[in-house]
Amino acid sequence: MSDNLSYVQISSSVNPSFWNKLSELKLNVYKLDESKHSIWGYHTIINSTSCPITLMEVDSTSFNREFTAHNQYLPFHGWILNTNTIEQFKECDKVELINSEGHKLYQHIINEDVFKDTSLLNRFFILSFADLKKFHYYYWFSFPVPRHVVVEKIDACDLENVFSPEEVETLHSAYKNLDCTQRSYFIVKKESGKMLEICTLAFQLKSITLEDKDNYYFVFHNISNDKNAVGSPFRNYVAFLLYYCDFLQNKIVNFISFNLSRTGSQVTCRKSIVYKLKLPMKTKDFYTSWVGWEKNERDKMGPKLANMKNTLDPSVIAENAVDLNLKLMKWNLLPSIDLDNIKKTKCLLLGAGTLGCSVARTLLGWGVRDITFVDNSTVSFSNPVRQSLFTYQDSVDMKSKSKAAADNLKNIFPGVNSVGHQLTIPMPGHSVGESLLEQTKESVKKLTQLIKDHDAIFLLLDSRESRWLPTLIGNVENKILINAALGFDSYLVMRHGVYSQNDTIQASDHPEGCKVITGNNLACYFCCDVTAPGDSLKGRTLDQQCTVTRPGVSQIAGALAVELLISVLQHKHGVLAPAYYSTAQTVPMQEMTASGDSVLGLVPHSIRGFLSSFEQILPATEKYKNCVACSDLVINEYKEKQMEFLLNVFNSSKHLEDVALLTEMFKDTDFEEVLEFSDEDFSA
Amino acid sequence: MITLDDMSLSIEDFNRCIEDIVNTSDNLIDGWRFEQNEELENGKYIIKKEQKVLSQDQEDDINHVLTFEYHIAFNISYGVPVLCFNVWKQDGTMLTVEEFWKLNERFKESNMYDTITQMDHPVLRRPFFTLHPCRTHEIMEPFLEESKNPVVSWLTVVGPFVHLDLNEEYVKMCS
């Protein structure tokens, strides 16, 4: 009892470049054209040992007019029908489609096209829909073959059992000399006492008769990697043979399942198999009923979806590349760094000048995705050379700085979520007249909301008093506040302490000669000053009003401000991270970096740098109980009276000194003496 | 000549080596082929595709048919050949570097993270999985004098890490 010959289904393998090319053609050439376009498929001529599945590949060269693939491939002839809508993709009649494909193949058979190019029997068809916005490709391959081709396997044996080694060699070298259009299917003629002849179908087929059929072997290049089965296109070969040799119906016929394999460095056809197969009778619908839609990954008849966003969408490629850079840091250097924590930290940058630009760029480098700018001015002609997010054109267009910074940040990295707000921050001592009252209230509300909506607030403004309101609100909202200020050749970068946290973090052991201040006890920018911020721009000369600094200072300070934030974020206690400071000259700070609390080392309270000597120090200061911005006195007053209190302060900074009980203190102090000690904010 | 010192591979040497590889490959029908960007000094590189089935781990019986596309290009800054590759599934979606590591857990001990990373292809300037070039010179050094084709000698050492096995015919080119 003999078995029927079993067929191996072809599995499609799409190279990413195929989708890329299809998108390009759809956009530039096909557009809304919904006709079928001819394409090439490829099957390797040497059967793979590393992959048991029979694959047919398509790639960008599939769309070439001529078959130009490397000598290792056999061609498949195919078509692609790319629909304009997903509905058309779903609704088109799949049975009709494959039958019409089959009919085309039948036409090739009866037109004798197959004699010219036997690989026409290796066919495929792709129905697709490309969602180019999402880079989603819906697709369904079919490899049309006639439905009713049941072939009985009478006998199967190794090639070498039928042919002598010389004949096998003849077969192989003749194969190599065949044109690639003739390699898929050809004929071997073996008559006793005669040399083996290898002929094309065109040359030989029509002269074969029922009487001498046993002298012929019908060769097919078997694309199945399972040598006991044959690739499904074999059915097309049978359909073709029975069309021209009607008399072979129900007869036993010789076939060679041609197989090229590699043994060591040798490529041989010795693993080919010789079959005696009983061909079927042609049914009435033999050439009209076709099958061959590919099953999907769930082994069901249905389309597949390729989501190519990661590969083809340049903005996604950019995002992944940025993330990967950071992950390499994690994998190679700092396994315990928490990159997600950084990525999800929402940053509010108050001031979009030299510092704001520098901070934003460094945040991008760390993978921060939410960056909001607040500024009240427009890009001036002097800005672009120092402020790294602006261009000359922004000055010409007089774009608002916050908007230009946000837009340009997105140009640099489209994955960032960046917004700019044009807003003047109300300041102590800048009196609010009747006309400005509503606007000021609105500004306070807006700023308060922005601070609430973000996790880290950067104070990068150019005047001292504009930092007062955000310091106060940020403190009340318990946000991380990072402050940066510039002198001509000096800078100050510091973090603010947080408002009355109940639990004090006990600082871990620290070396002798060091002191420690807990995170809720650290000073804010205003703690070190004993006067309320007033209108500091009043009475200043021009060079004092614009920040005149050495150009590198803002880059340094901006970068440090971000690194300080990152160190806070990576510290076990976050915003409550204690700050150490050296009290003895003998203890170098570097020795204190080893701490179990943070992978990035210690988290200073403040960093002061001096370009005149290229030196940097890390002082830490305790909160001042009469501070005009962060003392309980001020915060409680603000909590109680809200807008009324703020308006009073805006109208007169003296009010702030009253609330902070500074006025009282001044009465008992020799003011001249104090001033002598209260040096400029950030000079040495 | 870009040679830093006598003991490094010049672009000319590299181009000669990959040319020999392609010639041998053509005889073997092994699939290596040339690509070139003529605008670049180091524009020549070779490509080969191979399908493999790798199973993820014990719990996952699904066999993944993966296409590996290997590229051998020249990195000018390191003065060494670079083995880049991309891996995709049957639908054309690429493996991420994490997914690739997962499939290669047996290499964990040799510190996969340092060895295989994602870098820009020296010619195509797109991210590819890459055998990190920083140790390549170290591996290549003994071959520079001894081997007639140092690129092949180096590939026989590093190829197995990325499932790239070279036919013995290539090895014969080295002596």
Side-chain angles (χ1 to χ4, degrees):
Chain A
M1 164 98 206
S2 47
D3 298 331
N4 287 334
L5 190 65
S6 50
Y7 304 115
V8 162
Q9 298 306 316
I10 301 168
S11 196
S12 60
S13 175
V14 186
N15 288 217
S17 66
F18 180 83
W19 297 130
N20 202 7
K21 191 73 185 174
L22 176 63
S23 314
E24 195 185 305
L25 289 167
K26 167 80 183 160
L27 287 172
N28 303 322
V29 182
Y30 302 163
K31 295 177 182 162
L32 292 179
D33 173 17
E34 256 190 4
S35 52
K36 296 172 184 171
H37 300 277
S38 78
I39 52 174
W40 296 103
Y42 308 107
H43 178 77
T44 49
I45 59 169
I46 299 180
N47 288 342
S48 165
T49 45
S50 57
C51 175
I53 292 158
T54 298
L55 296 174
M56 192 211 68
E57 290 181 74
V58 289
D59 65 17
S60 59
T61 66
S62 292
F63 295 92
N64 290 355
R65 206 173 295 278
E66 303 296 331
F67 182 79
T68 51
H70 198 256
N71 67 353
Q72 63 169 344
Y73 290 110
L74 278 180
F76 267 64
H77 293 257
W79 297 88
I80 185 164
L81 170 61
N82 189 50
T83 62
N84 284 323
T85 64
I86 184 77
E87 287 74 25
Q88 285 164 293
F89 175 84
K90 283 182 189 156
E91 284 159 15
C92 83
D93 186 333
K94 311 297 184 297
V95 175
E96 193 193 284
L97 200 55
I98 200 159
N99 282 337
S100 86
E101 277 310 294
H103 183 69
K104 252 196 236 152
L105 175 54
Y106 179 62
Q107 294 294 320
H108 284 308
I109 293 173
I110 64 175
N111 290 342
E112 307 205 345
D113 292 340
V114 175
F115 286 118
K116 289 180 217 119
D117 183 353
T118 61
S119 65
L120 282 168
L121 296 174
N122 295 337
R123 283 188 89 72
F124 71 103
F125 180 80
I126 307 171
L127 174 67
S128 66
F129 167 68
D131 185 339
L132 296 183
K133 278 203 190 91
K134 293 188 189 151
F135 296 91
H136 283 183
Y137 300 84
Y138 298 84
Y139 68 103
W140 201 351
F141 272 75
S142 70
F143 300 91
V145 291
R147 182 190 295 272
H148 306 288
V149 182
V150 181
V151 173
E152 204 178 309
K153 191 157 74 181
I154 307 297
D155 184 45
C157 66
D158 290 347
L159 190 67
E160 286 170 314
N161 293 353
V162 180
F163 296 96
S164 69
E166 293 74 32
E167 286 173 328
V168 171
E169 196 39 53
T170 307
L171 174 60
H172 189 199
S173 51
Y175 170 85
K176 283 194 272 192
N177 290 330
L178 285 173
D179 186 84
C180 85
T181 58
Q182 301 296 330
R183 278 180 169 184
S184 297
Y185 305 94
F186 54 96
I187 291 173
V188 167
K189 187 177 180 185
K190 182 183 163 81
E191 285 176 285
S192 56
K194 284 195 184 170
M195 287 274 284
L196 200 67
E197 276 182 64
I198 282 84
C199 348
T200 60
L201 289 167
F203 178 80
Q204 195 67 58
L205 185 65
K206 286 181 186 167
S207 63
I208 298 173
T209 62
L210 182 58
E211 288 68 39
D212 68 356
K213 73 168 174 59
D214 291 337
N215 293 335
Y216 295 96
Y217 292 81
F218 296 96
V219 189
F220 59 98
H221 200 299
N222 189 13
I223 60 172
S224 163
N225 284 334
D226 171 2
K227 68 174 205 155
N228 295 315
V230 303
S232 66
F234 176 75
R235 298 207 230 180
N236 293 336
Y237 192 32
V238 172
F240 168 78
L241 294 176
L242 291 185
Y243 182 83
Y244 287 99
C245 303
D246 203 46
F247 55 86
L248 292 177
Q249 288 185 84
N250 215 18
K251 295 290 181 307
I252 294 169
V253 182
N254 297 321
F255 281 91
I256 296 173
S257 166
F258 190 81
N259 175 314
L260 279 181
S261 63
R262 198 189 299 280
T263 332
S265 56
Q266 295 296 307
V267 175
T268 73
C269 61
R270 281 197 291 269
K271 288 200 175 139
S272 301
I273 291 177
V274 180
Y275 285 110
K276 283 190 187 304
L277 300 173
K278 189 175 175 192
L279 296 186
M281 293 297 288
K282 285 189 276 186
T283 54
K284 224 168 92 195
D285 59 353
F286 195 72
Y287 292 114
T288 54
S289 180
W290 298 75
V291 291
W293 287 105
E294 188 183 9
K295 287 180 175 173
N296 63 19
E297 54 279 8
R298 291 178 302 279
D299 212 29
K300 296 263 162 56
M301 292 304 262
K304 298 186 191 182
L305 165 64
N307 179 353
M308 298 299 292
K309 210 167 169 45
N310 281 331
T311 313
L312 297 183
D313 184 342
S315 68
V316 176
I317 296 174
E319 276 195 53
N320 290 341
V322 166
D323 285 347
L324 182 84
N325 239 324
L326 291 163
K327 282 183 199 164
L328 288 175
M329 181 195 299
K330 182 180 171 77
W331 293 324
N332 294 338
L333 299 171
L334 301 166
S336 51
I337 194 166
D338 185 351
L339 294 172
D340 284 337
N341 183 23
I342 297 173
K343 192 174 177 175
K344 65 172 203 252
T345 300
K346 292 189 168 128
C347 295
L348 177 64
L349 277 51
L350 302 178
T354 50
L355 281 167
C357 292
S358 159
V359 165
R361 279 197 170 252
T362 316
L363 287 173
L364 270 195
W366 270 106
V368 170
R369 291 293 202 268
D370 294 279
I371 299 173
T372 306
F373 295 94
V374 169
D375 203 290
N376 66 347
S377 61
T378 53
V379 181
S380 79
F381 283 99
S382 69
N383 290 157
V385 296
R386 285 187 180 222
Q387 307 184 3
S388 63
L389 286 175
F390 305 127
T391 62
Y392 164 73
Q393 194 56 43
D394 294 327
S395 340
V396 173
D397 298 342
M398 293 180 70
K399 276 185 94 168
S400 98
K401 286 179 108 169
S402 56
K403 177 89 171 52
D407 288 350
N408 292 340
L409 206 59
K410 280 184 276 194
N411 283 337
I412 290 164
F413 179 59
V416 72
N417 171 27
S418 187
V419 186
H421 293 278
Q422 175 88 357
L423 179 73
T424 302
I425 297 172
M427 296 175 255
H430 290 236
S431 40
V432 181
E434 200 57 40
S435 58
L436 284 175
L437 188 61
E438 278 316 304
Q439 197 193 318
T440 304
K441 285 182 178 173
E442 207 41 57
S443 298
V444 170
K445 269 189 216 155
K446 196 169 173 187
L447 182 69
T448 309
Q449 193 55 49
L450 281 170
I451 289 174
K452 282 182 179 173
D453 291 344
H454 289 78
D455 307 302
I457 320 299
F458 284 89
L459 304 180
L460 313 167
L461 301 143
D462 53 8
S463 74
R464 186 167 161 265
E465 61 266 33
S466 56
R467 296 167 201 252
W468 177 80
L469 182 61
T471 296
L472 172 66
I473 301 171
N475 212 316
V476 171
E477 298 296 337
N478 262 314
K479 301 292 180 180
I480 303 172
L481 261 91
I482 307 282
N483 183 34
L486 308 177
F488 162 67
D489 58 0
S490 61
Y491 54 86
L492 161 68
V493 174
M494 68 183 291
R495 58 184 169 121
H496 288 186
V498 278
Y499 169 65
S500 59
Q501 288 282 336
N502 289 332
D503 11 290
T504 302
I505 301 299
Q506 279 307 312
S508 41
D509 292 343
H510 51 278
E512 250 177 73
C514 275
K515 279 199 169 168
V516 66
I517 302 173
T518 55
N520 57 348
N521 229 352
L522 289 169
C524 80
Y525 184 56
F526 294 92
C527 286
C528 315
D529 272 314
V530 281
T531 52
D535 189 342
S536 63
L537 298 183
K538 224 181 251 173
R540 279 195 180 183
T541 61
L542 187 66
D543 63 317
Q544 285 171 320
Q545 281 185 39
C546 341
T547 2
V548 181
T549 64
R550 286 176 67 165
V553 174
S554 62
Q555 310 296 339
I556 299 169
L560 284 173
V562 174
E563 296 302 332
L564 182 59
L565 168 71
I566 301 299
S567 287
V568 168
L569 290 175
Q570 293 304 313
H571 194 277
K572 189 165 78 176
H573 302 304
V575 73
L576 287 172
Y580 298 91
Y581 63 104
S582 162
T583 51
Q585 291 292 316
T586 49
V587 184
M589 287 302 257
Q590 292 92 310
E591 277 179 22
M592 309 199 299
T593 54
S595 150
D597 292 344
S598 167
V599 285
L600 294 175
L602 64 81
V603 190
H605 175 219
S606 68
I607 305 148
R608 284 170 185 260
F610 313 97
L611 281 192
S612 53
S613 57
F614 286 93
E615 270 181 318
Q616 195 166 274
I617 55 169
L618 307 176
T621 319
E622 273 186 55
K623 221 174 227 185
Y624 178 49
K625 67 176 184 0
N626 294 89
C627 174
V628 292
C630 75
S631 64
D632 288 355
L633 296 164
V634 172
I635 285 174
N636 291 337
E637 182 80 357
Y638 165 70
K639 282 190 161 173
E640 192 183 323
K641 300 192 177 144
Q642 298 275 320
M643 193 67 82
E644 184 198 336
F645 164 68
L646 295 179
L647 289 172
N648 276 333
V649 174
F650 300 151
N651 283 322
S652 159
S653 46
K654 180 75 176 52
H655 180 69
L656 205 46
E657 290 176 3
D658 292 345
V659 171
L661 301 178
L662 284 173
T663 318
E664 231 155 90
M665 201 181 70
F666 290 155
K667 282 183 199 156
D668 318 324
T669 317
D670 180 355
F671 203 55
E672 288 305 310
E673 199 184 315
V674 173
L675 275 184
E676 226 168 88
F677 286 107
S678 81
D679 231 325
E680 214 190 302
D681 281 342
F682 27 76
S683 63
Chain B
M1 286 274 278
I2 290 293
T3 2
L4 296 171
D5 53 67
D6 291 341
M7 289 307 286
S8 84
L9 194 75
S10 68
I11 292 190
E12 290 76 11
D13 294 336
F14 172 78
N15 287 345
R16 180 187 55 77
C17 287
I18 59 173
E19 209 166 297
D20 287 348
I21 293 175
V22 170
N23 288 337
T24 303
S25 166
D26 282 347
N27 290 332
L28 292 170
I29 323 180
D30 196 33
W32 285 105
R33 62 184 170 85
F34 265 117
E35 286 286 331
Q36 183 166 16
N37 177 344
E38 285 177 9
E39 283 166 26
L40 295 179
E41 193 181 0
N42 62 334
K44 274 194 177 175
Y45 59 101
I46 54 173
I47 297 188
K48 177 189 176 166
K49 269 193 301 194
E50 235 173 78
Q51 270 90 19
K52 290 160 203 296
V53 174
L54 299 181
S55 58
Q56 199 141 1
D57 46 53
Q58 286 82 3
E59 301 138 53
D60 178 19
D61 306 329
I62 308 164
N63 284 331
H64 300 266
V65 178
L66 299 174
T67 301
F68 282 65
E69 186 180 82
Y70 300 102
H71 292 227
I72 298 170
F74 192 75
N75 181 317
I76 289 189
S77 24
Y78 288 89
V80 294
V82 187
L83 175 54
C84 311
F85 61 106
N86 266 333
V87 186
W88 58 81
K89 299 173 206 165
Q90 269 180 276
D91 64 358
T93 53
M94 306 251 217
L95 249 54
T96 63
V97 72
E98 283 110 323
E99 284 174 307
F100 181 76
W101 284 338
K102 226 175 165 180
L103 286 170
N104 288 279
E105 275 173 336
R106 66 192 167 105
F107 290 132
K108 269 281 168 59
E109 282 155 33
S110 47
N111 204 353
M112 195 65 149
Y113 296 164
D114 292 346
T115 320
I116 292 168
T117 171
Q118 208 164 11
M119 286 177 79
D120 284 348
H121 187 291
V123 182
L124 298 175
R125 293 267 146 229
R126 287 264 156 188
F128 271 69
F129 298 157
T130 306
L131 268 176
H132 203 285
C134 67
R135 284 193 59 224
T136 303
H137 186 72
E138 197 183 312
I139 298 170
M140 294 245 336
E141 207 159 17
F143 298 129
L144 289 171
E145 250 182 324
E146 288 161 22
S147 172
K148 283 193 183 144
N149 193 322
V151 175
V152 168
S153 301
W154 159 74
L155 274 179
T156 56
V157 175
V158 299
F161 279 95
V162 297
H163 310 272
L164 175 65
D165 295 314
L166 284 192
N167 190 286
E168 61 200 41
E169 284 300 301
Y170 295 104
V171 183
K172 288 184 193 160
M173 293 159 52
C174 301
S175 52

